[in-house]
Amino acid sequence: MSNLVVLGAQWGDEGKGKVVDLLSERFQVVARYQGGHNAGHTVYIGERKFVLKLIPSGVLRPGVRAVIGNGVVIDPAALLEEIDALEAAGIDVRGQLCISNRAHVIFPFHRMVERVSEGRPDRVAIGTTSRGIGPCYEDKIARRGIRMADLVDPESLATLYRSLAEDKNTTARAFGVGEEFDYDGILARYRAMADRLRPLVCDTAKLLNDAIGQGQNILFEGAQGTMLDVDHGSYPFVTSSSAAAGGASVGTGIPPTRIHGVLGVSKAYITRVGGGPFPTEQDNPAGERLRKAGNEYGAVTGRPRRCGWFDVPLLRYTGMVNGFDSLIITKLDVLDELDRIPVCVAYRVGGRTVDSMPATQREIDLIEPVYEELPGWKCSTRGISQWESLPPRAKDYLKFLEERTGIEAGCISTGPERNETMILPNSALARLLKMGTA
Ligand code: GDP
Ligand code: IMO
Ligand code: MG
């Protein structure tokens, strides 16, 4: 039995959706542990494209139990829209999905708070997805949030909602927000949505622990990437949840002792959406070329993703924080046409090499990346699914990343489709998946 966490090793959009979809074949349960509909996980199955936001990508495998854990924040309207779209595409969402009774609920006024905060003239905007994610987590931590268990209990909802609405009304007045909320109308809409969601809400911590007791395997699907983790990421340019591997335990109620491995998904280069530091960013024709070749536009907001070269110190840092057993390197094919491929191998600040990740934007902005260049392979790797079939220079590039990060590359992705992937037979990843005998 192995319960594994899959999460982003960079700033998100590493290809987690594709990877979870691929691996979920071997798991009975896939569980999301943090984030909300700020996530956009794209999965291609043949001609069909799915973009999953709140629902774990595992739902696309018939029979796999999909769990939204307590660490997730839920906009019921967004969730119902996603359920309806997937059901229209023939997915048995209601037969597979369970939603934690302890997950917190996003309301329209959370988006109002976010607009006020992001738009303040004295504040550098984070460049959020404007989904109300941060303000909902604020209410959770401030102990005034409304949870799914409250949403589906008409009596609790009435009392808690009145108090939260009053709180937000006060905030709106204090900030001179002109927008008038129809608080009664919102409550009525949420009651109607609660009626539809009630059958799916349960104690998912118990469900997951019982599943383990029955010998089932759980795959934890991280949203965002480690550098967007509220504690370990590039604060304050982060999301408001624990995206790193430790969040899997907190966000589902599965003890750390029941988690057996952690897999980091990383692009063969790097991207970021939104504001904040990015040492290897190429805000130039080279970055533009990566964006074009990799079709790097946000799956949720459609914003162009900022692009840059693979960053070894960053991977060493996220590897340390998460304890990656194996890396899954995606989008190798995007580098196919390049003559030379720079890789950042060290950070220097003021002429001195630094071997830890600075904590502040000011310090990160001082980083001068040290690059080594590797020769490109100049031929297509698209769809290759055997290590032996990769061009020698592509193998050298991957071995270089492995050697410099100190983390095994157990899986390589060469296209968006399930079969455009290789899992290396003697890897720790294969062992964790009980595929190999390494
Ligand atoms: P996620 O948020 O980590 O799930 O990633 P996104 O879905 O936001 O972005 C990753 C994009 O890259 C998606 O459009 C995927 O279909 C695509 N993708 C994943 N792996 C590969 C790959 O190996 N090669 C190429 N060309 N595209 C890939
Ligand atoms: P997936 O799961 C990339 C970024 C936003 C912004 C910051 C805070 O697809 O990898 P938020 O709305 O969460 O308060 O915004 O985090 N961000 C993501 N960037 N991929 C994501 O998800 C992201 N989710 C949030 O762009 O910079
Ligand atoms: Mg994404």
Side-chain angles (χ1 to χ4, degrees):
M1 181 190 78
S2 46
N3 302 318
L4 305 182
V5 185
V6 170
L7 78 149
Q10 300 167 324
W11 270 293
D13 303 323
E14 297 91 346
K16 299 175 289 292
K18 168 187 163 156
V19 169
V20 167
D21 170 61
L22 179 80
L23 301 185
S24 57
E25 187 184 20
R26 298 163 193 281
F27 292 80
Q28 290 76 42
V29 185
V30 176
R32 267 280 299 271
Y33 58 88
Q34 45 73 231
H37 63 313
N38 50 350
H41 297 175
T42 317
V43 180
Y44 284 90
I45 304 174
E47 296 295 297
R48 303 203 305 166
K49 176 183 175 183
F50 300 90
V51 179
L52 296 133
K53 291 168 185 158
L54 269 161
I55 300 178
S57 307
V59 79
L60 301 176
R61 297 268 181 190
V64 167
R65 168 85 40 224
V67 172
I68 296 180
N70 55 277
V72 175
V73 287
I74 298 174
D75 180 327
L79 179 56
L80 284 166
E81 194 182 310
E82 193 171 339
I83 292 174
D84 290 345
L86 287 169
E87 288 194 336
I91 311 292
D92 178 22
V93 183
R94 275 157 211 282
Q96 292 175 243
L97 182 66
C98 297
I99 304 165
S100 170
N101 52 2
R102 291 177 170 83
H104 280 249
V105 179
I106 299 178
F107 288 88
F109 35 76
H110 286 129
R111 289 194 293 277
M112 175 271 290
V113 174
E114 186 164 357
R115 275 196 299 278
V116 169
S117 159
E118 281 282 274
R120 254 181 29 211
D122 57 344
R123 181 180 173 170
V124 181
I126 307 293
T128 65
T129 59
S130 313
R131 300 291 188 269
I133 306 291
C136 181
Y137 278 116
E138 282 176 34
D139 281 344
K140 169 178 173 172
I141 300 302
R143 297 160 298 180
R144 57 175 171 248
I146 295 181
R147 301 182 297 171
M148 289 304 291
D150 309 315
L151 179 74
V152 299
D153 172 354
E155 273 178 41
S156 291
L157 182 62
T159 317
L160 292 169
Y161 181 80
R162 212 172 305 121
S163 161
L164 190 63
E166 189 47 48
D167 182 86
K168 294 300 172 259
N169 216 356
T170 310
T171 307
R173 275 197 226 110
F175 282 96
V177 176
E179 190 175 346
E180 280 292 320
F181 280 100
D182 170 12
Y183 286 101
D184 290 340
I186 295 173
L187 180 59
R189 268 206 335 273
Y190 272 62
R191 282 194 196 286
M193 293 192 287
D195 288 341
R196 291 190 62 200
L197 292 173
R198 191 172 290 108
L200 305 178
V201 176
C202 69
D203 181 346
T204 52
K206 178 160 181 2
L207 180 144
L208 291 168
N209 279 288
D210 286 351
I212 292 177
Q214 291 158 13
Q216 297 187 9
N217 298 327
I218 301 173
L219 185 62
F220 297 91
E221 175 176 347
Q224 288 81 46
T226 308
M227 292 307 289
L228 289 171
D229 179 280
V230 68
D231 284 280
H232 302 292
S234 49
Y235 192 91
F237 299 93
V238 293
T239 190
S240 300
S241 62
S242 297
S249 178
V250 180
T252 58
I254 292 296
T257 47
R258 297 287 180 275
I259 297 177
H260 307 100
V262 181
L263 312 174
V265 187
S266 164
K267 281 178 182 158
Y269 50 99
I270 191 164
T271 63
R272 164 161 215 178
V273 198
F278 181 176
T280 64
E281 180 171 17
Q282 299 300 302
D283 188 12
N284 57 31
E288 188 57 48
R289 202 169 165 187
L290 285 173
R291 184 175 306 119
K292 192 155 178 271
N295 191 26
E296 295 296 357
Y297 295 89
V300 171
T301 57
R303 291 178 287 178
R305 293 176 181 150
R306 301 157 64 192
C307 298
W309 303 122
F310 192 92
D311 185 334
V312 168
L314 184 132
L315 252 289
R316 291 177 73 93
Y317 172 70
T318 60
M320 174 188 82
V321 169
N322 293 302
F324 292 141
D325 293 288
S326 196
L327 283 180
I328 296 168
I329 299 188
T330 60
K331 300 196 119 171
L332 182 71
D333 53 298
V334 172
L335 305 180
D336 283 350
E337 300 301 321
L338 300 182
D339 294 320
R340 306 201 55 81
I341 312 173
V343 174
C344 168
V345 293
Y347 289 165
R348 286 173 80 80
V349 174
R352 278 191 308 117
T353 302
V354 290
D355 64 359
S356 59
M357 181 60 70
T360 65
Q361 159 141 38
R362 192 185 61 73
E363 291 170 291
I364 301 180
D365 281 345
L366 293 176
I367 288 173
E368 307 142 34
V370 179
Y371 290 105
E372 281 187 33
E373 280 194 354
L374 281 84
W377 42 94
K378 304 281 288 174
C379 60
S380 175
T381 59
R382 179 67 186 258
I384 292 181
S385 58
Q386 299 290 326
W387 176 261
E388 297 69 33
S389 310
L390 284 174
R393 283 178 170 172
K395 289 184 192 162
D396 290 345
Y397 181 74
L398 293 165
K399 283 194 238 155
F400 183 85
L401 302 189
E402 219 174 26
E403 192 186 296
R404 293 303 177 95
T405 59
I407 313 168
E408 158 199 291
C411 175
I412 314 298
S413 168
T414 55
E417 296 269 354
R418 280 177 178 167
N419 60 359
E420 295 176 312
T421 322
M422 64 194 86
I423 294 178
L424 303 179
N426 287 320
S427 59
L429 171 57
R431 204 168 55 244
L432 285 166
L433 294 171
K434 307 265 189 288
M435 290 169 61
T437 51

